[in-house]
Amino acid sequence: MIYDDFDEFADTILPMTALVGLDFGEKTIGVALSDSLGTVATPMETIRRKKFGLDSARLIEICTARAVGGLVLGLPRNMDGSEGPRCQSTRAFARNLTKVTDLPIGYWDERLSTVAAERALLEADTSRKRRAELIDHVAASYILQGALDRLRHMKTG
């Protein structure tokens, strides 16, 4: 099931399960994973997109191996909050995912996540080539960390 409302998504997540964060792009899918307590997002890998069947099979493999309780999918809104073609393709990807998994899917506004990831990699003095290899799953970890922080705030607030 796909949740546009993050609060509704939060209600579906089982306690003590990890979440996967996804940065869906034209050529790659950045993947990050949380711990089971939902406190820390860790960059995991970048999937080079081929065909949906292959891409989704790898995602399901990750989710099964890590006992994942939900997917947080970055929604690339425009800076004014509107949705363009990238949002449409992200939403189509989410709809296709619901055909291969019952895991809840929640959207997270990913504006500036790639910028933040790039800045972090620059501060770590990462080479240009290495940044290109890491940027997508580091961006996925920024997306997921934002969602985890929101979830933690919802529980304490």
Side-chain angles (χ1 to χ4, degrees), residues 28 46 48 118 121 126-138:
T28 61
T46 297
R48 298 259 166 245
E118 180 83 21
L121 290 169
T126 310
S127 71
R128 182 183 304 258
K129 181 178 187 260
R130 189 75 175 126
R131 279 197 312 268
E133 295 168 2
L134 297 174
I135 192 70
D136 296 308
H137 57 277
V138 172

Side-chain angles (χ1 to χ4, degrees), residues 78-133:
N78 296 322
M79 289 309 287
D80 66 0
S82 64
E83 293 190 12
R86 288 189 58 227
C87 277
Q88 293 170 1
S89 62
T90 299
R91 288 184 183 279
F93 177 72
R95 284 191 300 275
N96 287 332
L97 273 179
T98 63
K99 296 172 186 167
V100 296
T101 183
D102 291 330
L103 289 172
I105 300 169
Y107 291 119
W108 187 258
D109 186 343
E110 73 162 58
R111 282 179 278 190
L112 300 177
S113 62
T114 302
V115 174
E118 180 83 21
R119 185 173 295 134
L121 290 169
L122 282 168
E123 287 174 6
D125 203 24
T126 310
S127 71
R128 182 183 304 258
K129 181 178 187 260
R130 189 75 175 126
R131 279 197 312 268
E133 295 168 2

Side-chain angles (χ1 to χ4, degrees), residues 11-83:
D11 290 340
T12 67
I13 301 167
L14 295 173
M16 301 302 289
T17 57
L19 294 177
V20 163
L22 302 174
D23 182 27
F24 180 76
E26 290 179 25
K27 298 177 184 174
T28 61
I29 304 169
V31 182
L33 182 71
S34 80
D35 59 324
S36 60
L37 296 175
T39 55
V40 178
T42 304
M44 189 171 177
E45 72 179 75
T46 297
I47 298 170
R48 298 259 166 245
R49 288 184 55 199
K50 295 176 181 92
K51 295 196 296 196
F52 177 78
L54 295 172
D55 303 342
S56 63
R58 178 62 188 134
L59 286 173
I60 299 307
E61 191 179 306
I62 292 167
C63 291
T64 303
R66 305 296 178 120
V68 167
L71 301 166
V72 177
L73 184 55
L75 194 61
R77 295 182 187 274
N78 296 322
M79 289 309 287
D80 66 0
S82 64
E83 293 190 12

